[in-house]
């Protein structure tokens, strides 16, 4: 039986949708904090179980009878290591055979501030004695298309990545790859996948493509990390979130979000979603 943590999140739902194409619903367990939010999954026949990273007593029962577990990294930055440890400990106790973990691209060497919690989680997996596979994901293209409304309003895309190339992919691309790993017949234990989009682009190229599709001129303005953080705070983001986003963009400027190994498209058996398609989909919403 397969289990997916964070199953009602954006990635988790897409992974389950991908799995349902080849796996009977009754062999998929959606592990969620709020069972009510998973009523649509239950209606499809997916097994829904309560599992809260911060309530370890829920984890053992949720993982009973599970062979393969997808551990989607938590969204509480700064608290993820103990949360992940609780899941890993419970998985070891109940005899889960394989844990797939959504890490970050080149986690072992990444300058991303967010990478540290992923490095620590990867270390916990190595020490656990449970077989594991690492899905080191680059950025979601949606992280950038989410800024389109503001770019259309102000005529500018801002950031601090300079002219670095960003090999992002859509959540659906990553979800399809994750599902492929979970259902693979080949032994996945110990594998490390560096997953990134086929098509890398600069933020200036992102602005150019958005300009073309929107029929207006949108420029890219590169800012220092400090100035980008200040702009995000002025836009209403909490200071901690603004600092994290600005540091991430500055790290992207150091190559943190680039990889040209094409492991993602190899896993999903098709090219990753082009930037132009992701922008078109965002504009259509």
């Amino acid at each position: 039986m397969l289990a997916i943590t964070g199953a009602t999140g954006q990635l988790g739902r897409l992974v389950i949708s991908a799995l349902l194409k080849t796996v009977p619903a009754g062999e998929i367990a959606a592990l969620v904090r709020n069972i009510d939010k998973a009523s649509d999954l239950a209606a499809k026949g997916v097994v829904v179980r309560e599992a809260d990273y911060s309530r370890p007593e829920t984890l053992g029962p949720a993982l009973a009878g599970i062979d393969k577990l997808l551990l989607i990294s938590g969204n509480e930055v700064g608290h993820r290591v103990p949360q992940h440890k609780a899941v890993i400990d419970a998985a070891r106790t109940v005899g889960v055979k394989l844990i797939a973990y959504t890490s970050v691209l080149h986690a072992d060497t990444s300058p991303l501030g967010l990478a540290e919690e992923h490095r620590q989680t990867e270390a916990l997996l190595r020490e656990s004695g449970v077989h594991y596979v690492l899905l080191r994901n680059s950025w979601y293209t949606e992280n950038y298309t989410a800024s389109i409304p503001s770019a259309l309003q102000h005529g500018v895309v801002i950031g601090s990545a300079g002219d670095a190339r960003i090999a992002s992919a859509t959540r659906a691309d990553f979800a399809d790859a994750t599902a492929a790993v979970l259902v693979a017949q080949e032994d996945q234990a110990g594998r490390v996948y560096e997953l990134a989009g086929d098509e890398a682009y600069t933020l200036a190229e992102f602005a150019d493509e958005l300009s073309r599709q929107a029929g207006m001129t949108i420029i890219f303005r590169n800012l220092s990390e400090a100035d980008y953080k200040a702009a995000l705070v002025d836009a209403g983001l909490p200071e901690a979130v603004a600092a994290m986003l600005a540091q991430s963009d500055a790290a992207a400027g150091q190559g943190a979000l680039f990889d040209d190994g094409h492991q993602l498209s190899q896993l999903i058996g098709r090219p990753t979603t082009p930037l132009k398609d992701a922008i078109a989909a965002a504009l259509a919403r």
Side-chain angles (χ1 to χ4, degrees):
M1 193 171 189
L2 305 175
I4 293 84
T5 69
T8 53
Q10 294 181 86
L11 180 62
R13 285 186 177 278
L14 289 170
V15 171
I16 289 177
S17 293
L19 287 171
L20 285 171
K21 296 174 183 177
T22 58
V23 179
E27 295 180 13
I28 301 171
L31 308 188
V32 299
R33 285 185 294 184
N34 186 335
I35 289 179
D36 292 339
K37 291 184 177 179
S39 58
D40 60 315
L41 297 175
K44 295 177 181 178
V46 174
V47 178
V48 176
R49 296 179 178 178
E50 181 185 13
D52 189 329
Y53 293 156
S54 298
R55 295 172 55 220
E57 68 273 13
T58 67
L59 300 175
L63 292 171
I66 300 302
D67 297 307
K68 295 180 182 179
L69 169 66
L70 171 62
L71 172 54
I72 295 179
S73 55
N75 57 14
E76 296 180 46
V77 176
H79 302 280
R80 294 190 287 186
V81 174
Q83 290 178 341
H84 296 166
K85 183 177 187 302
V87 177
I88 294 167
D89 287 348
R92 179 180 62 242
T93 299
V94 302
V96 170
K97 296 181 176 62
L98 180 75
I99 300 175
Y101 173 65
T102 60
S103 188
V104 72
L105 190 66
H106 302 303
D108 50 341
T109 59
S110 175
L112 286 166
L114 291 172
E116 180 54 32
E117 287 183 303
H118 291 296
R119 279 191 285 269
Q120 292 184 44
T121 300
E122 290 186 7
L124 290 172
L125 286 166
R126 287 193 296 271
E127 296 162 4
S128 71
V130 181
H131 290 161
Y132 66 89
V133 52
L134 300 179
L135 307 171
R136 289 178 170 173
N137 295 343
S138 183
W139 243 223
Y140 301 135
T141 305
E142 289 90 343
N143 290 353
Y144 294 106
T145 58
S147 69
I148 285 178
S150 176
L152 295 176
Q153 180 181 356
H154 300 289
V156 62
V157 171
I158 61 173
S160 52
D163 59 0
R165 304 201 70 76
I166 296 163
S168 70
T170 64
R171 281 190 182 89
D173 291 334
F174 289 117
D176 285 351
T178 301
V181 168
L182 290 173
V183 302
Q185 296 300 310
E186 302 84 3
D187 184 13
Q188 298 296 308
R191 296 195 181 190
V192 179
Y193 292 99
E194 303 290 354
L195 302 177
D198 292 332
E199 172 193 2
Y201 55 88
T202 66
L203 290 183
E205 290 170 347
F206 176 89
D208 288 345
E209 180 59 28
L210 179 57
S211 298
R212 185 186 69 79
Q213 293 197 34
M216 60 182 289
T217 299
I218 298 169
I219 64 170
F220 168 59
R221 182 175 299 144
N222 192 56
L223 305 174
S224 68
E225 181 179 342
D227 286 346
Y228 185 33
K229 174 189 171 184
L232 293 172
V233 170
D234 287 344
L237 290 180
E239 185 159 346
V241 175
M244 181 268 291
L245 291 175
Q247 193 281 329
S248 296
D249 220 46
Q254 302 173 47
L257 301 179
F258 178 75
D259 182 89
D260 60 358
H262 301 283
Q263 286 188 308
L264 178 52
S265 55
Q266 290 167 17
L267 272 177
I268 62 181
R270 60 169 174 80
T272 58
T273 305
L275 175 64
K276 63 181 179 62
D277 291 356
I279 289 177
L283 288 171
R285 285 197 288 270

